Every structure is written in C-alpha cells, then in structure tokens.
Amino acid sequence: MKKSCSLLPAVILLSSCGGSNNPPSPPVPTEPAITACSADGGEEESVYRPLDQQELLSGIMAGKGEEVFHDAFEHGDLIFGTKFTLGQGGGAFIGSNESSHYTRIPRADLNAPGEWGDMTRDVMRPTGPNAQSCGSCHSQPIDDGAGPTSANVHRIPQLEHPDLTIQRNTPHVFGLGALQRLAEEMTDEIRDAIPKAKAEACAQKTEVTKDFSAKGVKFGQVTVTCESGTAEIVGQKSKLEGVSPDGVVRPYEWKKNVAFLRDFMRHAGNNEIGMQGVELVGKDVDEDHDGPKNELSVGDMTAFTIYMAAQSRPVTKIELDDLGILAANKQKLKPEERTQIQNGEKLFDSIGCTACHKKALTLDSSVFYEPSNSLYHRDDKKLFKTKGQVQVDLEAEGVKPEHPVKFDLAKDLPDNRFCKGTQETLLGAFEKQNGKTVVRLYGDLKRHWMGDELSERVDELEDPKEYGNGHMSLVNYDPVNAILPQASYGDYDVEKGKAIFGTRELWGVACTGPWLHDGRATTLREAVNWHHGDSNDSRNNFNKLTKSEQKDVLAFLGNLVLYVNQAKNGETPDPLSEECEVKDEDKS
C-alpha cells in the first residue's frame, strides 16, 4: 500500500527591504523537513477482544493478505500493551494461602494439587506470572525495549530442584522476525551438508569431509565414506558445535533453545503474564486455576507472533544523524565522533570480537511466514493434541502453512517510516544489497562456552530427554532427530554446559543496559571483561588496547541503538532517547 506523505512548503518568500525600489528577490528553494509518515495499519483497537483465526484465514483466502497482516500487527500490539485483569485471565492461582496471582520468585514450595509447584500439572511453569503486561518489562528505554535488573525473571529450570534458580534479564524484541528467517535458512544449510557429502563421497568412492557451515558460521563438520559403495557417516570424525543434535538453529532465549516465535510467545504469555493460550492448554480448560478459560485464542497467538516478528530493526546513531533526527531534529554527532565510531568498529574486528559477533548475515528471502514454511520452525501437526505438545489441531483452527500470514521484512514493517517531501525513508526495514537482505545483527545464532566466571548453578539444557519441558518450548528436540550417529557425541559436560550461552546480538546494545544474561554488567566495559571461555582472547586483546582505543570500541558499541518514532503524521520525529548514551566509568 502506498504511503501518503504530507508536503511541506518548499520555498520561503523573502520580502524586499525598507524603501528599496529593487525588485523582490526570487524565491530561494529549501530542503523539505523530514516528518513522520502517515500510519499504514489495520483498524486500531483500544480494548482487547479475542481474535478469531478463521477471520484471518478468510481474509487471506479473499486475497486481502496485506490487510490481514496490518490487522494482525495492530491486534498483537494491543496484546503486548494490555494490562490483563484477573477477569481476562491475567495471573494464575499461586497457592491456597496466596491471594496474589503474581510472583517474581518461583513458588515450588506450594505444591499441593493445582498450586504453582504441582508437578502433576500439564503445563509446569518455571517462573511467574510476574507482570500484567509485556510492556511492563519491555520498556527500556522505549516500548518493546529491554528491562532493568528490577524486572529480572527468576526461574527454576528443573522443578524437582527448586534450590537451583537462575535469573534472566529482559532483552529487547527489535528485529525478531529476521532472526527466525536467518535460523530457517541456516538450518537448511546445516542439514544439507550430509546429503551433499554422501553424494560427493559416492561419486568419488572415497572419504569426504564437509563443514556444517551456514552463512559463514561453522557449526562443526561431517565425514562420510563411500568406499563400500554405500554412504556412511564416520561418527568418530563428525561433530556438531554450537547447535542441537538435529542441526536446527534456534534463535531465541539466552541459551538459543527456542526455534520459532510462536512457540516462544505462547510460553511467554503463560509464564510471564499468566495468559494461557488455547493452543497451550486446550479449549475450555482452566489449567492455571484462576477462573477464566480460553484466555488467548489461536488468532490472538497468530497476531501476537506477527507483531513480534514485524518489529523494526535496531539502527545506529549515524543513521539517525544522517536523517537529522538524532537529537530533536538537529545533527549532534561531530566529525571527530564519527571518526571515533568508525575506528572503534575496525578495532572491534581486529581484536577478534566479530568471530562471534558477526557484523551481518544475509537472507536469500526476506518474506516472513506465519506459520513458517520451514518444517523445523513450526509445530509438527503429527503431534497435535499429544501430551506436552499443542493441545488443539492448529491446521483445523485455520493456521495453515499453505495460507500463511506473510510480510516482507525489507519493505512492510509498519514503524519508523519517514517522509521528506514525496520521498519516503523506511528506517525500520531491512536493507537490500545485490538481491540479498542484510541483517546487521552482530551475532551468529550459535552457542558458545563463556567460561566458568559466567557459570550458573544449573544448565537449562542439562537433560536432553526432557529438552523443552519448562524451557519455554513445547517441542522435544534433543536427542530426537539427531543427524549424526551416537558415536559423534561424547558425554555431555554438565559443568561446561552451565556456562554455555548463545551469542547475544549486539544491535541496539547501547540502549539495553544492564548487560549479560542476568544484568550483572552495569557498563559495557564490564560486559566485555566478563567474557572468558571461547571469547577469552578477544577480552584480552581489548585490554591490551590503549585507553584511547578502548574508548573508540565503546563508542562503536554506543552507536548501536534502538529507536521508535512516536510522532504522528506530519510531525517532527522524536529524538533518540537519552538513556541510550553509553557511560564509561573506567577510573584507571
């Protein structure tokens, strides 16, 4: 749908001076100011009501896919910001002596039938509910942003061990759709390595080794022999690194253990705000014993997912400055500041940080589908209604892979659209280069060992047989569907696993302090110095830099910001939040 932009006066007429008889000066053209464009969305709602999935499907079938996308986005936005009441299903029954329906500390001590810690429940929660709305925690420095340490989530990954608790700091949700699309394409590349190695080995009647490589990120290798005429994987020479045994890349959670947004959102709704989706617990089921049933419809979950997937990409101070909206419509960065940022980016690469925090990965297709067209990033219909899986037949409800809600990450994202005369700037969209879509995430979607200094009391992924139960994921991934033989896997190192985390994408990092998985780092310098294990060399290299060079690196990180314009059509865009200013308190 085309945008209609407000056209501002393009000239200023200069009147003649005092009693001069000279003819008036010709009009002097001026550059039109940049303003917020008109919103391109569905019908805006102010009060939450359940959304019927069949309405979305009917619109898609009628050829109104663009309208369906915008309506779903608006409805998902409403869900994200609504402070759900107990009457709507917010919160959960904590226990017989607890009149509150919310808790920031997991209550495994309340374990009678129906209480928080009842281990016989169909949906055991590792945390909360701890807030009335998503926006209560994702609020820093703007809506959909990160959260302070006061909003940390306390979790019990293994309910039978209530003494083993962990904390998770609230991350921002910008750019989430691009992460799933990257994971989908990377999974295909990883899993394709084996059939390609088999074909090559048999063609040459020899042994062949291929990297499990995806978009330049190496996830191990596979060795195949075909000397006998039949392709066989050599287990002792093959291994996967930084990804689950099924080769599926999972872009969400601090441990990179959730594959697709819908799966994450249904559990976030339940765990954090106590709104249980029908697909999580079944129809007409009050699983959390708080009174209401059918708290989030299947259509709600589709809209919730679309809203999260269509969040704008993080940007940079330099981009905002080039548009003239960094600071109240006045350029702020001085030439020396730009030079410092650019030098810091070069140093960031030279000291080895981009080994994991890769500047950019590219997409072959920028179209996001819900449900995904990847078998590994949507619910398995063979498991519908089975214990521990989705409790309704999603396809029967209208969530059909052949008729998805879809949008283009490179042009359809609703937020951060600006007009300058008749020219429109899609700041929130992902850029195209040479037919590819560039995702400047500063990450690799891979797990790494971060060293004993970041070791937790328990590893969320410790028990592969129970993978997914309690970890905000319904799907049991490990070791089911492993793509390598058992000989490729040694004993799982539990102690090392306690300090394995997925690479945190650095886009927007300047606006998301405190940093690291539990918010322990109060400055970016501290965050750098908590890096050990696989990233030990980079940390040491940073500390070998001169003080001036270190400041350049921090200035580069300070350039990576979150921005959402709230100004209305024709108004001057909002400036960047002052909370995105990075402070370096090095006193040496």
Side-chain angles (χ1 to χ4, degrees), residues 63-306:
K64 299 179 180 178
E66 184 177 355
E67 181 179 329
V68 168
F69 161 62
H70 287 294
D71 285 342
F73 181 88
E74 293 293 343
H75 188 81
D77 189 3
L78 181 64
I79 293 174
F80 191 90
T82 294
K83 292 184 177 180
F84 288 100
T85 66
L86 297 180
Q88 292 172 309
F93 173 64
I94 303 300
S96 59
N97 297 320
E98 302 292 329
S99 56
S100 173
H101 282 60
Y102 299 92
T103 177
R104 282 219 162 266
I105 304 299
R107 295 304 305 271
D109 58 310
L110 298 174
N111 50 26
E115 293 185 334
W116 194 100
D118 177 7
M119 294 187 62
T120 67
R121 294 178 61 172
D122 290 332
V123 181
M124 293 183 290
R125 61 164 42 92
T127 187
N130 45 55
Q132 273 190 272
S133 73
C134 301
S136 297
C137 298
H138 292 278
S139 59
Q140 185 175 294
I142 47 180
D143 292 344
D144 305 308
T149 50
S150 59
N152 273 13
V153 171
H154 295 72
R155 292 167 64 174
I156 302 177
Q158 301 170 355
L159 197 57
E160 65 272 25
H161 298 295
D163 56 318
L164 300 179
T165 59
I166 60 174
Q167 288 191 53
R168 291 289 180 262
N169 189 239
T170 305
H172 73 76
V173 298
F174 288 70
L176 291 188
L179 296 186
Q180 180 169 317
R181 285 294 300 120
L182 284 170
E184 291 166 357
E185 292 188 0
M186 292 172 80
T187 296
D188 288 342
E189 290 187 55
I190 291 172
R191 292 178 63 90
D192 282 350
I194 292 178
K196 287 181 178 178
K198 287 182 175 180
E200 186 174 327
C202 288
Q204 300 176 8
K205 295 293 189 291
T206 186
E207 186 175 283
V208 169
T209 297
K210 292 283 187 183
D211 286 341
F212 286 118
S213 181
K215 301 190 183 298
V217 180
K218 186 177 178 181
F219 291 89
Q221 64 184 31
V222 59
T223 297
V224 174
T225 182
C226 198
E227 296 173 352
S228 65
T230 301
E232 296 179 350
I233 296 175
V234 183
Q236 294 85 350
K237 296 182 179 180
S238 304
K239 64 178 179 178
L240 280 166
E241 299 173 339
V243 68
S244 300
D246 57 5
V248 175
V249 176
R250 297 177 169 80
Y252 305 120
E253 284 262 33
W254 286 96
K255 288 272 191 176
K256 299 297 185 195
N257 59 318
V258 179
F260 53 101
L261 263 176
R262 190 182 193 105
D263 196 24
F264 181 88
M265 297 315 301
R266 64 169 67 107
H267 282 267
N270 173 59
N271 291 336
E272 314 306 341
I273 59 177
M275 291 294 290
Q276 293 193 319
V278 169
E279 58 198 64
L280 183 69
V281 300
K283 292 183 178 180
D284 300 320
V285 175
D286 180 20
E287 197 280 334
D288 57 358
H289 304 287
D290 62 352
K293 303 173 183 178
N294 307 321
E295 296 173 2
L296 287 176
S297 70
V298 173
D300 286 338
M301 200 55 61
T302 297
F304 207 2
T305 301
I306 288 296

Side-chain angles (χ1 to χ4, degrees), residues 481-509:
N481 300 323
I483 60 178
L484 294 178
Q486 187 61 43
S488 299
Y489 303 102
D491 294 332
Y492 186 73
D493 189 335
V494 174
E495 290 306 310
K496 196 170 185 178
K498 293 177 180 178
I500 287 179
F501 296 92
T503 302
R504 180 63 188 158
E505 296 78 31
L506 294 182
W507 55 3
V509 69

Side-chain angles (χ1 to χ4, degrees), residues 17 54 204 211 217 231 259 269 299 314-315 351 385 392 399 406-407 468 499 505 509 517 521 523 534 551 557 578:
C17 299
Q54 293 295 337
Q204 300 176 8
D211 286 341
V217 180
V315 296
I351 62 178
K385 299 185 179 181
V392 298
V399 182
K406 62 182 180 179
F407 63 92
E505 296 78 31
V509 69
H517 63 280
T523 67
D534 293 347
K551 289 183 180 297
L557 295 175
E578 293 182 357

Side-chain angles (χ1 to χ4, degrees), residues 440-583:
R440 301 188 189 282
L441 73 170
Y442 291 94
D444 61 3
L445 302 189
K446 183 178 176 180
R447 299 175 191 147
H448 298 272
W449 178 55
M450 296 298 294
D452 293 338
E453 290 80 359
L454 287 180
S455 182
E456 299 187 291
R457 300 178 67 193
V458 62
D459 174 20
E460 282 189 290
L461 310 184
E462 179 178 341
D463 189 351
K465 296 186 298 296
E466 298 298 326
Y467 190 102
N469 295 337
H471 305 316
M472 298 187 78
S473 174
L474 283 177
V475 186
N476 294 319
Y477 299 112
D478 284 331
V480 179
N481 300 323
I483 60 178
L484 294 178
Q486 187 61 43
S488 299
Y489 303 102
D491 294 332
Y492 186 73
D493 189 335
V494 174
E495 290 306 310
K496 196 170 185 178
K498 293 177 180 178
I500 287 179
F501 296 92
T503 302
R504 180 63 188 158
E505 296 78 31
L506 294 182
W507 55 3
V509 69
C511 308
T512 60
W515 294 274
L516 300 181
H517 63 280
D518 54 4
R520 69 178 65 188
T522 59
T523 67
L524 282 172
R525 182 181 291 273
E526 289 176 15
V528 170
N529 281 301
W530 275 109
H531 283 60
H532 294 270
D534 293 347
S535 56
N536 196 57
D537 289 344
S538 297
R539 176 184 60 86
N540 289 338
N541 289 338
F542 173 80
N543 287 313
K544 290 176 183 177
L545 297 175
T546 66
K547 296 299 180 183
S548 176
E549 290 173 328
Q550 290 179 9
K551 289 183 180 297
D552 287 354
V553 172
L554 296 178
F556 157 66
L557 295 175
N559 183 50
L560 306 177
V561 296
L562 302 176
Y563 178 83
V564 173
N565 172 60
Q566 302 291 344
K568 297 181 180 179
N569 179 32
E571 294 180 354
T572 300
D574 298 322
L576 178 68
S577 170
E578 293 182 357
E579 294 182 45
C580 294
E581 291 299 321
V582 172
K583 298 178 181 178

Side-chain angles (χ1 to χ4, degrees), residues 363-413:
L363 287 169
D364 294 326
S365 171
S366 56
V367 179
F368 184 96
Y369 297 90
E370 174 51 40
S372 172
N373 57 8
S374 165
L375 292 173
Y376 310 105
H377 295 86
R378 68 173 189 250
D379 294 292
D380 187 345
K381 65 180 180 180
K382 297 190 300 293
L383 300 177
F384 288 164
K385 299 185 179 181
T386 59
K387 183 175 176 57
Q389 306 298 322
V390 173
Q391 294 304 300
V392 298
D393 185 334
L394 289 180
E395 292 199 23
E397 293 291 323
V399 182
K400 296 182 179 293
E402 65 270 26
H403 299 297
V405 182
K406 62 182 180 179
F407 63 92
D408 193 327
L409 291 159
K411 64 179 183 180
D412 294 334
L413 302 188

